[in-house]
Amino acid sequence: ALDGLRSTFLGEDSALAKLAAAQTVLTQRMDTGICPNGGTLCHVGGPIVQKRANAPDIHGPVPGGNTNCVACRFSVTGPMFLGGLIAHLNATLAEAKEAARLVAEAETDYEMLFDEQAAARASGQTFDQRRVITQQERLDAATTRLVDSGERAGLLLTQVRRCEALLPKDEGDSS
C-alpha cells in the first residue's frame, strides 16, 4: 500500500502509513496537503526532542505552531497540491518582505534612539531607558517574524520542488 502512495504523495513513511490506515473522519485535506490526524497531533508533529534506545523517540510540537503544517512530520503532500503550496509560498514571501521592512524600520528607530540617548547624556538631561527596552522588543519581534517566515518559505519551496519532481516529464522537456 505504501508503494502506491509513494508514487503520488510525499511524506515520511510513518505519515504515509497513517494516511493509508487513516479513518476518513480524521483525515483533513488542506490546500498544501493532507493531515492524516485531522490536526490532532500538532503537539508531537515536530522534531525529535529526546532520542530513546528502547522506546519510541519523543517529538516536540510543530515548529511555528499548529498552522505550520508544512513543517509537520505527519504532513503528506503531492503534485495535486502544487497550486496551494505555491499560493502559500507567495503569501509567505510577501510576509517575509513586510517583516524585512519592519526590521529595517525598527533598526533605524533604534539607532535614532541611541543618538537621542547620547545627546541627552552630553547635555546632562535624563533619558527614559524604558524607550530603549521597548524599541529592542519591537526589533526582536520583527526579527523573529522575519526568521519564521523565511524558514516557512524555505520549507514550502522544498515541498514545491519535490512535488514538481513527481510530475511526469514532457517528451520535449530537456530539464
Side-chain angles (χ1 to χ4, degrees), residues 61-144:
V62 174
N66 63 355
T67 59
N68 193 19
C69 301
V70 73
C72 181
R73 67 189 176 104
F74 299 116
S75 177
V76 177
T77 193
M80 70 285 296
F81 297 103
L82 264 172
L85 287 165
I86 290 170
H88 278 268
L89 175 60
N90 288 336
T92 301
L93 290 172
E95 184 181 317
K97 182 178 179 181
E98 173 62 11
R101 185 192 68 73
L102 291 173
V103 167
E105 182 181 287
E107 285 175 340
T108 299
D109 292 349
Y110 197 61
E111 289 170 11
M112 288 175 30
L113 199 54
F114 272 111
D115 291 344
E116 283 181 40
Q117 185 180 31
R121 281 189 184 147
S123 66
Q125 296 177 335
T126 61
F127 182 83
D128 186 359
Q129 194 63 30
R130 291 176 294 187
R131 291 175 59 203
V132 173
I133 294 168
T134 300
Q135 189 57 37
Q136 179 64 50
E137 289 170 350
R138 182 176 160 226
L139 178 58
D140 290 347
T143 301
T144 297

Side-chain angles (χ1 to χ4, degrees), residues 164-175:
E164 287 174 337
L166 286 179
L167 291 172
K169 300 282 185 231
D170 290 337
E171 299 222 1
D173 189 3
S174 61
S175 57

Side-chain angles (χ1 to χ4, degrees), residues 45-61:
I48 295 172
V49 293
Q50 183 181 0
K51 200 142 183 70
R52 302 189 309 181
N54 298 324
D57 295 334
I58 297 175
H59 290 262

